[in-house]
Amino acid sequence: MREIKFQVFTEDWKGVKKCFDCYSLYLLEEIPLSFGKPKDGRWYKVAFTNSEGDKETVVVDRDKIRMFTGLKDKNGKEIYEGDIVEFNNCDYQRTAGHLDDEIIVGEVEYSCGVWGLKEANGQLHDLYISLVNDEEAEVIGNIFQDGDLLRDS
């Protein structure tokens, strides 16, 4: 069974902006009007450990929350929703051994019941199959801090 973990992309009270590990996450029932309207219609209160090791809370919409996929890259780094992963599309059925391998860069997202890697052109690859076929798959960034990696691919 996979471990259920989340991260939140936010700025802590010291001004450090990054993805922090969450230790508590819940949906807010009543939303103060000062927060505005979130993209998915819901706000979440997230408690996390900040850059100083202190506990902090923040209210964010779903776009700032990342779920752990239960998978790790070639370096043992945990792969989260919103990570940017580079892998060698060495699918033997696709190439039949006659074509050069293809380096793919994609964003990790949950779609159609599976964790996938979505390329900038919209093509979706199954993340689990990508990791099985290519032991060299690697997290090279995330959409919050390194979104330009997707545009450059």
Side-chain angles (χ1 to χ4, degrees), residues 59-83:
V59 174
V60 296
D61 66 3
R62 175 65 180 89
D63 288 351
K64 301 288 188 222
I65 299 170
R66 300 164 17 110
M67 185 187 303
F68 178 47
T69 64
L71 303 170
K72 295 182 180 181
D73 74 356
K74 71 176 187 176
N75 301 314
K77 183 174 181 172
E78 295 177 339
I79 301 175
Y80 281 83
E81 176 181 17
D83 276 338

Side-chain angles (χ1 to χ4, degrees), residues 15-45:
V16 176
K17 196 176 239 189
K18 68 175 211 163
C19 294
F20 295 98
D21 291 332
C22 300
Y23 64 87
S24 175
L25 168 75
Y26 62 93
L27 178 64
L28 293 177
E29 296 288 331
E30 295 182 23
I31 312 302
L33 293 176
S34 62
F35 283 124
K37 185 168 173 67
K39 292 178 185 171
D40 72 350
R42 299 178 178 183
W43 287 108
Y44 298 84
K45 187 170 187 177

Side-chain angles (χ1 to χ4, degrees), residues 39-61:
K39 292 178 185 171
D40 72 350
R42 299 178 178 183
W43 287 108
Y44 298 84
K45 187 170 187 177
V46 179
F48 64 97
T49 304
N50 66 22
S51 60
E52 297 288 311
D54 296 327
K55 307 293 186 205
E56 196 171 329
T57 60
V58 66
V59 174
V60 296
D61 66 3

Side-chain angles (χ1 to χ4, degrees), residues 87-151:
F87 73 101
N88 185 357
N89 189 13
C90 55
D91 181 357
Y92 189 77
Q93 291 177 337
R94 179 185 62 81
T95 67
H98 301 293
L99 299 175
D100 290 336
D101 294 339
E102 176 184 20
I103 301 299
I104 303 288
V105 175
E107 172 191 345
V108 176
E109 69 173 39
Y110 191 76
S111 179
C112 302
V114 298
W115 287 107
L117 286 171
K118 186 174 185 179
E119 291 184 69
N121 65 11
Q123 186 172 355
L124 192 64
H125 303 268
D126 184 302
L127 178 61
Y128 178 76
I129 298 299
S130 301
L131 290 170
V132 168
N133 285 341
D134 180 21
E135 297 174 357
E136 299 297 312
E138 180 177 21
V139 174
I140 59 172
N142 65 62
I143 59 169
F144 302 110
Q145 297 165 294
D146 308 296
D148 55 320
L149 292 174
L150 285 174
R151 289 185 290 279

